[in-house]
Amino acid sequence: MFLPLSLGRVPIGLPVVQAALSGYSDLPMRTIARAHGAPYALAEVVLDALVLQRGKLQRRILSVPEHDHPVGGQLMGSQPHTFGAAARELVRAGYDVVDINFGCPVNKVLGRRRGGWLLQDPTTALAIVDSVLQAVAGDAPVTVKMRRGYDDSPTAEADFFAILEGAFLRGVTAVTVHPRNVVQKYVGRSRWEFLARVRRQFQERTILGSGDLFSPFDVVDMLQQTGVAGVTMARGCIGNPFAFTQVQQLLAGRPALVPTLRQQRDALLEHWRLAVAFYGGEAAALSSVRMHAIKYAQYHPSPVQARERMVAVRSPVQLVATVEELFDPALDQDVAKVLRREDAVVPAMSAGDSCG
Ligand SMILES: Cc1cc2nc3c(=O)[nH]c(=O)nc-3n(C[C@H](O)[C@H](O)[C@H](O)COP(=O)(O)O)c2cc1C
C-alpha cells in the first residue's frame, strides 16, 4: 500500500523514521529505536561551530558506530561557510545523510538567526543549502527540515515556498515539513492540509511529514491523508520505541499490539546499559536515562504513579530497581493486548524544550 522510502541512494524502507530530537536522540535512543523497527534515525541537532571544534564532545558526535546506520546528522547555524565545513565533517565521520535545520523555534536560537529564524531570510537559507551541497559534493544526500513558515503572513508563506523550491532546484534530496509555524512553537495543531498541499505542488520530490504523530494510527493517517513519502516520528516515540513495530503491524494489515511490561522493562534496561557505555559510567548516564524512563512511564498501565516513581529516582541503583519493580513481567497478562485508537497516549511536552 505504501512505497518503501528512500533518501536518494540511501534505502530506508518503512516510511516512518525517528526524528531528530534534541536532548533525546543520542546513540542509545537510536539503537533502541532501530531494534524495534525504526529504519532510519536522526541524531540530535548540533551547532555547526561545535562540530568544528576539537574535544570530547566532538569526538562523541563524530563517532558513528557500525550498527548506527543509516543515520542522519542534523546541523544548525547561521553562516554558510561554517555550515558547509561542518557538513563535510559529518560525512567524513560516517553520517549517511546531512540534514539542515530551518525549524527550531527556541527563542535563544532565533535570537542568533539560526533554525526557524532563517525561514524569514531565503537568501541566507539558500546560501547555506549551496554551501552544504558544495561541501558534501554528492557523497551523501542533503535534506532540509522546515516549519511551514515563520508566521502566518503572506510574506512568510512566499519565503517558505522560495526556500523549498530553491532547495530542491539546487539538489536537496528530501524536505521534512513540520506544518506548524515558528511563532506558534507547539501551541495548536500541526496543519496536515498544508502538508497535503506541499505534496501536491511537489509531486516529483520527496516530502516527509511531521507533527502530531502520537500513535501508529496517526502515522498511517498522515501517510494516507497527505500522500507524503514518509514521516518522522518525534514526541510519539520518546519512551515508546514500540511505535515503529506497531506501524509495521498496521501496514501489514494486523492489529497494533500494546507492548508488554516485559518488553518495556527490557527496552529500558538495555537503554540504560547502552547509555552507561556511551556516557562513560552510571553517574554520567543517569540524568539522560531518567528522562527517557519518565517518558516510558507515560505508557505504563498506571502512568501517573509510574511517573511519580521515576521522577523520584536519584541514583543508578534506584533507577534499575524502580524499572524492575514497575515493569514487572509477573504482572503481564497472558493475552497480548491490542492497541485501540482511543487508548493512544498523547505525550506531555512543554514547548520550551524542543528544537524543530
Ligand atoms: C524534545 C524535542 C526535541 C526536538 N528536537 C529537534 C531537533 O533537534 N531537530 C529538529 O529538526 N526537530 C526537533 N524537534 C521537532 C520534532 O522533530 C518534530 O518536528 C515536532 O516535535 C513535531 O512532531 P510531533 O508533534 O509529532 O512531536 C524536537 C521536538 C521535541 C519535542
Side-chain angles (χ1 to χ4, degrees):
M1 176 168 62
F2 295 106
L3 294 174
L5 176 65
S6 64
L7 296 174
R9 59 183 162 75
V10 177
I12 304 294
L14 187 74
V16 51
V17 309
Q18 186 223 266
L21 288 163
S22 187
Y24 290 94
S25 62
D26 55 8
L27 179 64
M29 181 185 185
R30 298 196 300 273
T31 306
I32 297 292
R34 287 182 203 286
H36 291 87
Y40 169 62
L42 283 131
E44 303 167 78
V45 66
V46 54
L47 188 61
D48 55 358
L50 203 67
V51 173
L52 298 173
Q53 290 166 11
R54 295 276 167 264
K56 200 170 152 195
L57 185 61
Q58 289 67 38
R59 279 199 296 281
R60 192 185 284 159
I61 293 167
L62 294 176
S63 73
V64 181
E66 233 170 80
H67 67 269
D68 190 28
H69 291 285
V71 60
Q74 194 190 61
L75 289 171
M76 182 192 285
S78 60
Q79 304 294 329
H81 63 284
T82 43
F83 225 117
R88 188 69 228 160
E89 286 299 313
L90 290 189
V91 174
R92 198 172 292 150
Y95 283 89
D96 302 285
V97 176
V98 174
D99 193 41
I100 300 175
N101 184 313
F102 290 153
C104 181
V106 171
N107 289 341
K108 206 171 73 182
V109 170
L110 301 179
R112 296 189 172 139
R113 302 185 167 218
R114 298 172 182 151
W117 190 92
L118 288 159
L119 292 179
Q120 304 175 93
D121 183 357
T123 306
T124 307
L126 291 174
I128 287 173
V129 170
D130 274 334
S131 171
V132 170
L133 283 166
Q134 209 181 354
V136 168
D139 290 338
V142 173
T143 58
V144 173
K145 164 76 182 294
M146 304 168 73
R147 283 194 172 224
R148 73 159 197 265
Y150 190 76
D151 55 27
D152 273 340
S153 64
T155 315
E157 187 176 303
D159 288 345
F160 170 88
F161 281 105
I163 296 170
L164 183 67
E165 185 162 18
F168 278 131
L169 288 175
R170 280 162 172 76
V172 155
T173 299
V175 174
T176 302
V177 179
H178 173 196
R180 286 189 174 91
N181 66 40
V182 175
V183 173
Q184 82 180 97
K185 297 194 184 335
Y186 277 79
V187 181
R189 60 180 191 88
S190 170
R191 222 180 259 176
W192 290 12
E193 319 79 84
F194 183 81
L195 207 47
R197 180 180 149 201
V198 170
R199 169 73 189 110
R200 277 195 304 276
Q201 276 181 239
F202 290 81
Q203 296 223 0
E204 306 301 316
R205 306 294 192 176
T206 303
I207 305 286
L208 307 186
S210 166
D212 294 343
L213 298 172
F214 299 137
S215 75
F217 305 104
D218 297 334
V219 168
V220 176
D221 286 351
M222 183 183 271
L223 289 167
Q224 271 171 349
Q225 290 172 24
T226 68
V228 290
V231 305
T232 66
M233 208 161 186
R235 285 176 288 180
C237 68
I238 305 177
N240 185 28
F242 312 97
F244 298 102
T245 318
Q246 291 170 337
V247 172
Q248 282 174 344
Q249 289 163 337
L250 289 185
L251 292 182
R254 299 198 304 271
L257 298 181
V258 175
T260 60
L261 293 170
R262 178 188 297 278
Q263 287 170 320
Q264 288 175 302
R265 180 201 64 178
D266 290 353
L268 247 176
L269 291 181
E270 177 65 1
H271 192 131
W272 170 241
R273 197 187 61 75
L274 293 167
V276 171
F278 183 64
Y279 290 107
E282 293 191 339
L286 183 63
S287 69
S288 165
V289 180
R290 181 174 163 275
M291 233 168 47
H292 282 274
I294 290 170
K295 300 297 179 191
Y296 273 76
Q298 295 180 121
Y299 299 88
H300 187 273
S302 305
V304 178
Q305 294 91 320
R307 184 176 195 285
E308 273 170 18
R309 294 286 309 279
M310 289 302 186
V311 168
V313 163
R314 291 289 174 273
S315 70
V317 172
Q318 209 187 348
L319 176 85
V320 173
T322 308
V323 171
E324 281 181 341
E325 193 189 318
L326 280 176
F327 297 98
D328 180 356
L331 304 173
D332 268 328
Q333 292 165 357
D334 288 338
V335 189
K337 201 172 158 208
V338 170
L339 181 70
R340 296 180 311 170
R341 194 179 268 269
E342 56 273 30
D343 293 338
V345 171
V346 177
M349 182 72 66
S350 76
D353 50 8
S354 64
C355 210

